[in-house]
Amino acid sequence: MRLTPKSATLLILVALIALAPVFFPSGFYYRVGALVFVNALAVTGIVILTGWAGQISLGHAGFAGIGAYACALAPVHWGIHPALSVLLGAAASAVLAWLVGRPILRLKGYYLAVASLGMGILISMVLNNERALTRGPDGIGVPELGLRAVLKDAGLGLSNGQFWYFLCGIALVVGAWAALNLRDSATGRALRALHGSEVAARTVGMDVARLKLQAFVISAVYASVSGSLLALQNRFITPDVAGFLHSVEMVTMAVLGGVGSVAGGIFGAAVLTLLPQVLTVLAEYEQLVLGAVMVLVMIFLREGIVPSMLRKGRRREE
Amino acid sequence: MTLLSIEGLGICFGGIKAVHDVSFAASPGEVVSVIGPNGAGKTTLFNMISGVYRPGSGRVVLNGEDVTAMSPHLLARRGMCRTFQNLQVFQTMTVLENVIAGFHLQESGDVLSDLLNLPAARRRAKDAEAGARELLRRLGLERAAEREAGSLSYGSLKRLEIARAMALKPKVLLLDEPAAGCNAVETEEIDHLIAEIAASGVAVLLVEHDMKLVMRISSHIVVLDHGEKVAEGDPATVSRNPAVIAAYLGADDAAR
């Protein structure tokens, strides 16, 4: 049986997540792995929004901030379980994305980028300045999720690093699965169509404004869940999670790996999360090499690493 | 029975009357062609009818309903679809996906079932794909189904655009220069295709420069010059009309 690209992507992803720990020299690598998965989850949302629907956002870290602070605040102030706080954060991000998206998605290209940037900055400012609630720039503690203890009682004892590695890994697989489902569905096809030609998309009956809004809301939920997972595993969060740099990081990861493909986005997240760890041996030249890698990839592999490589492979087959 | 009627449609761009007071009507099964020299306002007229431009004056009535300046996606729901003079194909999608996109109104459901790949979403996608493959076969594009649309020849892209429009099962189909840039064989194919579509009860509106094609398949011709309707009638009447000859050859030649 020939695998569809969707099953192949998911199978490789599951295999990598399951087998990678075999090669981990120390427990620290579980933590790096979990960080890769959390970033990849947010980037998968960017793939949907930017890669398929062609809409650029430079403010998606704002939604990660909402997801993160929901887990920090809701359990303390309203006694909501941290796991439910993840859903609460996702719902809040979805509602905000819907409200903000309606006016700003009328804008195109860099106008949209700047408007979304403004939205991200506003969220980040609220988190920085509402000290009474968020404790400002110094950050705030996040309650324990409590699931690890439940698993331990059930006879599945995992270290903290292992637990978060596998939980974030599962979250990523589910996120990638949903995104791949979307890609070949009516909605996903319509998103890619409006990216190709908005006027043609309209003439075949696609409600372009509504579709863009759907993509914006879905990607906001991805970012929000990613922020929640980050907060819960670090047990501490600062407003930097909602900052401009984090937004740019998401977009950069997506574009580097290949913004048009889920596998590409995940690969980009892995590269840009791991590379700085590897490059620490270069000390002060770390940033220089990182920048050079990004420039070279954009020059020689314009569609991003994964799609460009696949295309080359296919051409060789023919 | 009139399906589409255009009543006194006009638009100005920066004080210049691009189209002024144009009226005509189309019935099911008819091929109504709009002809005229370059810059006569044919595509502008199409853009107003199909909701891309908001007309400055006049009305568009579809099936008894005033649809003037209605958004194209709402017009599509009411059975109007069009193709474009400057191809508007979804370049990075496959040929098959392009045609499936034409089934959007039948195929689309709620986003959640798309995200979770629920059976309902799978069924909808499967039906749309079957319909799209059938259309590709009819248009002789089935062998290119899995290719990226951007890699197709110009003539094939023209047919692909028509296939996508046909997927909507429109009552009114606007074709903007479907044969432009096509060779003689391709033009003849498109000729047959248009006749076939009209015979199935669709009102076809056609903008086309290939006069042989227009004269052969039109049931009614509307002639525009400088944004105004200068003549209309069946092909034989129009081709003898002095105003038409003047518009095409220049007034001096006609007078001589």
Side-chain angles (χ1 to χ4, degrees), chain B residues 64-255:
Chain B
E65 184 189 5
D66 187 343
V67 297
T68 316
M70 190 177 271
S71 174
H73 77 269
L74 296 174
L75 286 170
R77 269 168 214 231
R78 286 162 175 76
M80 187 196 288
C81 191
R82 68 170 290 184
T83 65
F84 296 85
Q85 180 185 3
N86 56 337
L87 289 166
Q88 294 287 344
V89 167
F90 308 128
Q91 301 272 352
T92 58
M93 292 163 66
T94 67
V95 170
L96 180 66
E97 283 180 318
N98 263 273
V99 183
I100 297 178
F103 285 91
H104 181 77
L105 288 174
Q106 299 159 54
E107 192 202 7
S108 69
D110 67 305
V111 199
L112 208 58
S113 59
D114 283 350
L115 275 167
L116 302 178
N117 200 21
L118 296 182
R122 274 201 298 259
R123 201 174 323 116
R124 283 188 270 114
K126 215 173 150 193
D127 290 348
E129 188 184 327
R133 285 198 187 273
E134 170 64 32
L135 271 174
L136 284 177
R137 196 164 45 243
R138 262 180 77 186
L139 290 172
L141 288 167
E142 74 271 32
R143 287 183 58 196
E146 314 299 337
R147 275 172 60 187
E148 211 169 81
S151 71
L152 255 53
S153 71
Y154 192 78
S156 302
L157 285 174
K158 284 272 176 194
R159 268 182 295 159
L160 176 58
E161 235 194 330
I162 297 175
R164 186 180 68 196
M166 283 168 73
L168 280 93
K169 301 191 182 66
K171 297 193 195 91
V172 178
L173 181 58
L174 282 68
L175 300 172
D176 197 350
E177 301 202 18
C182 293
N183 62 36
V185 180
E186 288 168 338
T187 304
E188 198 167 322
E189 281 169 8
I190 285 173
D191 178 343
H192 289 311
L193 189 60
I194 295 171
E196 205 182 305
I197 295 170
S200 70
V202 177
V204 178
L205 252 61
L206 181 70
V207 164
E208 183 51 62
H209 276 298
D210 187 327
M211 275 310 133
K212 277 194 224 131
L213 175 71
V214 169
M215 291 301 164
R216 207 158 47 217
I217 64 174
S218 305
S219 31
H220 193 83
I221 296 177
V222 175
V223 188
L224 292 187
D225 189 21
H226 297 294
E228 296 194 43
K229 184 170 82 177
V230 293
E232 78 172 303
D234 60 63
T237 320
V238 164
S239 59
R240 284 194 305 268
N241 188 313
V244 177
I245 298 165
Y248 268 88
L249 302 175
D252 295 345
D253 292 324

Side-chain angles (χ1 to χ4, degrees), chain A:
Chain A
M1 198 187 93
R2 238 184 110 84
L3 281 173
T4 60
K6 175 169 129 188
S7 337
T9 306
L10 286 173
L11 210 64
I12 292 171
L13 186 62
V14 170
L16 281 177
I17 293 171
L19 295 178
V22 176
F23 304 100
F24 288 174
S26 77
F28 170 71
Y29 288 81
Y30 282 106
R31 173 149 173 74
V32 177
L35 211 56
V36 168
F37 302 154
V38 163
N39 283 334
L41 191 62
V43 169
T44 303
I46 298 293
V47 166
I48 294 172
L49 179 70
T50 307
W52 300 344
Q55 308 302 307
I56 296 165
S57 169
L58 290 180
H60 258 55
F63 299 119
I66 291 174
Y69 276 82
C71 289
L73 301 177
V76 177
H77 290 275
W78 301 307
I80 296 172
H81 191 276
L84 289 178
S85 304
V86 177
L87 297 181
L88 182 74
S93 293
V95 170
L96 185 72
W98 189 78
L99 289 173
V100 175
R102 276 169 69 96
I104 73 171
L105 287 168
R106 288 161 194 253
L107 304 170
K108 288 193 192 347
Y110 38 75
Y111 300 104
L112 174 62
V114 171
S116 61
L117 171 66
M119 177 203 70
I121 289 175
L122 279 175
I123 295 173
S124 153
M125 276 174 68
V126 169
L127 296 178
N128 270 304
N129 295 321
E130 287 296 321
R131 285 167 184 275
L133 195 63
T134 67
R135 306 227 188 109
D138 296 337
I140 188 171
V142 179
E144 166 74 43
L145 179 59
L147 184 59
R148 193 157 73 94
V150 175
L151 287 179
K152 197 166 190 181
D153 290 341
L156 188 65
L158 293 171
S159 76
N160 192 46
Q162 286 173 330
F163 171 74
W164 284 106
Y165 176 88
F166 287 109
L167 186 67
C168 295
I170 291 167
L172 175 60
V173 170
V174 172
W177 171 76
L180 289 165
N181 284 341
L182 187 71
R183 184 184 188 277
D184 292 320
S185 72
T187 307
R189 210 175 289 115
L191 292 178
R192 289 181 290 134
L194 78 86
H195 187 184
S197 164
E198 266 191 39
V199 65
R202 283 207 181 89
T203 57
V204 294
M206 293 168 181
D207 188 342
V208 168
R210 183 155 169 260
L211 286 161
K212 285 183 187 174
L213 198 55
Q214 285 173 343
F216 197 66
V217 169
I218 291 170
S219 62
V221 169
Y222 273 86
S224 179
V225 173
S226 151
S228 292
L229 290 173
L230 189 70
L232 287 169
Q233 68 170 306
N234 287 350
R235 300 287 316 277
F236 186 78
I237 201 77
T238 69
D240 285 348
V241 67
F244 172 59
L245 276 178
H246 190 203
S247 289
V248 172
E249 204 175 50
M250 287 182 195
V251 175
T252 311
M253 286 172 174
V255 173
L256 190 81
V259 72
S261 97
V262 171
I266 294 172
F267 188 76
V271 168
L272 282 189
T273 313
L274 297 177
L275 214 50
Q277 310 276 349
V278 177
L279 294 178
T280 43
V281 294
L282 301 171
E284 59 261 47
Y285 295 110
E286 179 198 327
Q287 299 291 327
L288 194 71
V289 173
L290 197 60
V293 167
M294 281 158 59
V295 171
L296 289 175
V297 166
M298 283 301 103
I299 292 174
F300 293 109
L301 308 167
R302 197 163 307 154
E303 287 174 88
I305 298 169
V306 172
S308 302
M309 289 302 189
L310 283 177
R311 196 179 282 265
K312 286 204 171 109
R314 226 173 290 144
R315 214 168 290 152
R316 199 162 301 151
E317 257 175 51
E318 284 162 12

